Amino acid sequence: RSAERDAAADAADEAARDLASHAWPSPAAVPGWGLPEGQGRDDQTTDRDPHPRAINAGVWATHGARGADKMEDRHVVIRELGGIRGAHLLGVFDGHRGHECAEFAHRNVEAALRGCWGRHADPADALIEAFERLDAAFVEAFERVEDGASASASAGAESATAASARRRRPGCTACVALLWGDDLYVANAGDCRAVLCRDYDAGSHVALSVDHAAGTNASERERIAALGGTLTRRIGGWRVGDAGLAVTRALGDADVKRDGVIATPEVTRTRLDANDAYVVLACDGLWDVCSNDDVVSMIRDTVKEPSMCAKRLGAEALTRASGDNITVVVAFVKDVSTAELVTWERAF
């Protein structure tokens, strides 16, 4: 009996290691997505612009009111993606029913995208495939983890029925921005959000994603209903499936896929110009209590250092009693006033 328990525990540990570091195929060839001259890999033989578009990004994250042991948000900021000048990847991942799916996406989104981007003429299609591959890989890997835990339980006193009843199905929402030269692609599945400030002085801005929340997105509810999924109205709004999921698109969540929850993101493409200032990506811990207008207004009144801006937004969300984890990424896509940067440096 003891040997069986040890073997089951070893199997569970092995599965957990696999979940943390999924083996992806080797990166595919760099796609021909038409970076402007001067932006690309160092081994390309194009005339070089000495100032390819860069980003200056900062992040602020907190567990907030949920407590330190309930931090389920993750994020990525990857500059010069794949060694390509002018290519950058940003992302926020908001876990639910556990942190595992968000952690998996955080660790593997770059590999998932680079592993498939050579097959697509359009970056939007590559982002869609990357999301779907992350979803399938996580569900498969986590099943192995749970199978190992179930084997361990069955070797002990816990019955198979009890082990099945406590089986978890974590998931996460995801919002990922790919800056490719002057094109900004945003892939979103769930209720994270991306907002672009199009003119800093005027404060004009545009949302680059649509929230896939069952309670606020009627077209998503119609999609779920058309697929025969279960929708129920509960305190706090509409929910999907027996699990009562608040979103209609997410990675993971294997038990509500039959109800129409999908990992396929909606992707937008925005051509940046000289006026575009910054993009904000954040989980719903911010957007639940701050509007797009609020966010742009607060950044306008904050020193233009991205980490300071992100902290300002997150701190305001706490002040407004956000009940969720809060993660904010702010990325400036053009140079800001040197005077403002100097002021910040002197202040600290």
Side-chain angles (χ1 to χ4, degrees), residues 78-93:
I78 301 171
R79 299 172 179 84
E80 297 194 350
L81 177 66
I84 302 172
R85 295 188 301 148
H88 313 284
L89 191 70
L90 312 169
V92 290
F93 310 97

Side-chain angles (χ1 to χ4, degrees), residues 21-78:
S21 55
H22 186 76
W24 295 95
S26 299
V30 175
W33 291 341
L35 281 171
E37 286 190 0
Q39 303 185 46
R41 294 172 65 92
D42 289 336
D43 57 4
Q44 291 175 336
T45 57
T46 58
D47 293 334
R48 306 234 185 256
D49 176 344
H51 301 291
R53 186 180 286 275
I55 61 168
N56 184 17
V59 184
W60 194 76
T62 178
H63 55 74
R66 299 191 62 194
D69 61 335
K70 295 293 191 299
M71 181 54 171
E72 297 175 339
D73 286 359
R74 299 293 188 272
H75 65 272
V76 294
V77 175
I78 301 171

Side-chain angles (χ1 to χ4, degrees), residues 25-269:
S26 299
V30 175
W33 291 341
L35 281 171
E37 286 190 0
Q39 303 185 46
R41 294 172 65 92
D42 289 336
D43 57 4
Q44 291 175 336
T45 57
T46 58
D47 293 334
R48 306 234 185 256
D49 176 344
H51 301 291
R53 186 180 286 275
I55 61 168
N56 184 17
V59 184
W60 194 76
T62 178
H63 55 74
R66 299 191 62 194
D69 61 335
K70 295 293 191 299
M71 181 54 171
E72 297 175 339
D73 286 359
R74 299 293 188 272
H75 65 272
V76 294
V77 175
I78 301 171
R79 299 172 179 84
E80 297 194 350
L81 177 66
I84 302 172
R85 295 188 301 148
H88 313 284
L89 191 70
L90 312 169
V92 290
F93 310 97
D94 186 350
H96 45 257
R97 300 195 284 177
H99 70 279
E100 292 90 346
C101 190
E103 178 69 19
F104 186 87
H106 151 78
R107 289 174 178 263
N108 294 294
V109 63
E110 178 183 9
L113 179 59
R114 292 182 62 195
C116 71
W117 64 6
R119 292 196 292 273
H120 298 281
D122 186 343
D125 293 332
L127 285 164
I128 290 171
E129 182 180 345
F131 269 56
E132 292 175 343
R133 292 178 72 189
L134 279 170
D135 173 63
F138 173 75
V139 170
E140 178 187 356
F142 197 76
E143 285 293 325
R144 288 197 295 272
V145 172
E146 289 292 279
D147 287 345
S150 295
S152 177
S154 63
E158 187 177 26
S159 68
T161 301
S164 176
R166 67 172 180 78
R167 199 175 182 96
R168 294 191 302 114
R169 295 289 187 274
C172 77
T173 58
C175 187
V176 171
L178 171 66
L179 180 62
W180 192 269
D182 289 329
D183 289 322
L184 180 60
Y185 296 86
V186 171
N188 183 62
D191 56 1
C192 297
R193 191 183 305 166
V195 173
L196 173 67
C197 177
R198 304 232 62 170
D199 188 307
Y200 173 73
D201 292 328
S204 61
H205 57 277
V206 59
L208 302 182
S209 61
V210 174
D211 297 351
H212 302 126
T216 60
N217 193 321
S219 64
E220 282 291 286
R221 288 200 304 273
E222 292 171 3
R223 182 183 64 79
I224 294 289
L227 293 171
T230 301
L231 285 164
T232 56
R233 187 186 287 275
R234 304 184 183 182
I235 296 174
W238 289 96
R239 296 291 186 267
V240 182
D242 293 337
L245 205 63
V247 293
T248 58
R249 301 193 189 208
L251 308 180
D253 296 310
D255 56 333
V256 289
K257 289 295 197 288
R258 62 178 178 267
D259 290 294
V261 173
I262 57 176
T264 305
E266 290 187 311
V267 184
T268 62
R269 171 184 174 270

